[in-house]
Amino acid sequence: MNKITTHSLREGDILDALWGYDQSNVNFYLVTELVGKTIIKIRQIEAIKYEDINGGSMVIPNIKKTIGKTIRKKANKNNYVRPNDYLYASQWDGKPCFIS
């Protein structure tokens, strides 16, 4: 019998997906609903860009501004989600993310 491995994500959690070639980009996603033991619903949210005290570009999520439609995705036991074919998102640590 196969054991279903569940994630530990909750509604309201934020995921981040870092990506880019020769540059750093970040997409943020809000967990909007838990569906069963492995499926969640997520929706992309806006990234707020700002300059840190050293002049580096940083982003943080803006949960008040959503982008696109809510999508259903499978989350694994390590809380990784694939929003699309080329991204892996994981639970955001709450710290600003560097972009270039």
Side-chain angles (χ1 to χ4, degrees):
M1 176 183 252
N2 290 341
K3 181 180 176 184
I4 295 176
T5 307
T6 60
H7 57 82
S8 61
L9 296 169
R10 296 181 178 182
E11 286 181 27
D13 283 351
I14 297 173
L15 309 174
D16 64 0
L18 286 67
W19 59 277
Y21 180 79
D22 286 342
Q23 63 184 19
S24 300
N25 300 294
V26 180
N27 289 6
F28 291 106
Y29 299 88
L30 179 66
V31 177
T32 61
E33 186 179 341
L34 306 179
V35 182
K37 294 185 178 190
T38 61
I39 304 298
I40 63 172
K41 289 186 179 182
I42 60 173
R43 188 161 185 184
Q44 188 173 352
I45 54 178
E46 179 182 72
I48 300 171
K49 182 179 176 182
Y50 69 94
E51 302 295 319
D52 70 6
I53 60 172
N54 298 317
S57 295
M58 307 295 283
V59 291
I60 57 173
N62 177 8
I63 62 171
K64 295 180 181 180
K65 177 109 184 210
T66 59
I67 300 168
K69 297 179 180 182
T70 300
I71 55 176
R72 291 171 53 113
K73 293 294 174 178
K74 185 174 185 176
N76 72 17
K77 67 180 180 179
N78 297 317
N79 295 334
Y80 282 98
V81 178
R82 291 201 64 177
N84 57 40
D85 291 341
Y86 61 90
L87 286 181
Y88 284 95
S90 61
Q91 197 162 13
W92 181 52
D93 64 6
K95 297 176 185 174
C97 299
F98 172 78
I99 59 170
S100 61

